[in-house]
Amino acid sequence: MSFPDLLPSLREKLPALRGRLTANEPLKPLTWFRVGGPAQVMVVPADEDDLAYLLSRLPSDVPVTMLGLGSNLIVRDGGVPGVVIRLGRGFSEVTVEDGHRIRAGTGVPDVKVARAAQDAGIAGLAFFRGIPGSVGGALRMNGGAYGGETKDVLVEARGVDRQGRVRVFANPDMHFTYRHCGVADDVIFTSALFQGTPGDPAEIAAAMEKITESREATQPIKSRTGGSTFKNPPGQKAWQLVDAAGCRGLVVGDAQVSELHCNFLINRGNATAADIETLGETVRARVKETSGVELEWEIKRIGLAG
């Protein structure tokens, strides 16, 4: 499907925008599941100033959706109305700062933060090796893996709100909880400052290698997947509840609950977004029926049904 073309009216309102605007941009190739419809308008701002300009002049009735690396995401088959923002080169810097700190743009993959810290002999950030997303996603979801969480290492984050104002959020301002950040959804994070501790590069490299080996052995990372599907309920593991409900290997259309790790859904090749979401909801219903536990989605779902 395609949306009505918003580009002419947006270009008129944004004459000084330096970034890229495209209409009906396919989102399928930009998500790990490889499913979903187009963005009505895709905007790739040049840098933080360009993003602030865009948001300050964008009509308030035009919905705005952020797209990171597409790892923890289902884009529905009908596509995403309004403006989808993707942060590119202007948000991809990683720098080492005094005091064992790393500053990173929110377009940076989490693994690059871990590698930069390892190269600089900064310990405490190796867990980012196990998060298959970007810094922006880690901020928004309090991303964590292998014993570490974003809340444990964040000093501050910068972001731009829907009015185009640049704001700085100290760690307490983020109101982090498990896989959640309490900052208003309309704030788009642009960079983050992380605090580590002195460490030995060889030891950090060894820790990262263990994480890599563990992921390869226990997760279907070579499949079209979206990472962990459901949040772990307090005191329980989502995968164990899914397994106990008899859902390991369950199939809907061309979507399947992974045989390797049953908190992962996979696209076997020709699944639609509807297949994957229906499979997830089927799993939730069976878990509720067998254990009484209502699993919460960890994967974000955006857009319109096809």
Side-chain angles (χ1 to χ4, degrees), residues 61-73:
D61 62 341
V62 175
V64 173
T65 304
M66 260 307 296
L67 181 71
L69 294 186
S71 60
N72 196 243
L73 185 71

Side-chain angles (χ1 to χ4, degrees), residues 146-184:
Y146 300 94
E149 284 186 307
T150 302
K151 72 174 178 59
D152 302 330
V153 295
L154 182 75
V155 178
E156 64 181 30
R158 283 172 67 95
V160 182
D161 66 20
R162 189 63 171 80
Q163 288 70 47
R165 297 173 299 210
V166 176
R167 298 170 62 188
V168 177
F169 301 88
N171 188 311
D173 302 329
M174 300 289 283
H175 302 291
F176 282 131
T177 54
Y178 174 63
R179 299 296 174 267
H180 176 75
C181 159
V183 172

Side-chain angles (χ1 to χ4, degrees), residues 7-27:
L7 279 192
S9 66
L10 287 185
R11 285 202 170 111
E12 197 176 308
K13 291 178 175 68
L14 301 162
L17 189 78
R18 291 173 286 119
R20 180 170 63 86
L21 278 105
T22 51
N24 285 296
E25 175 92 2
L27 296 178

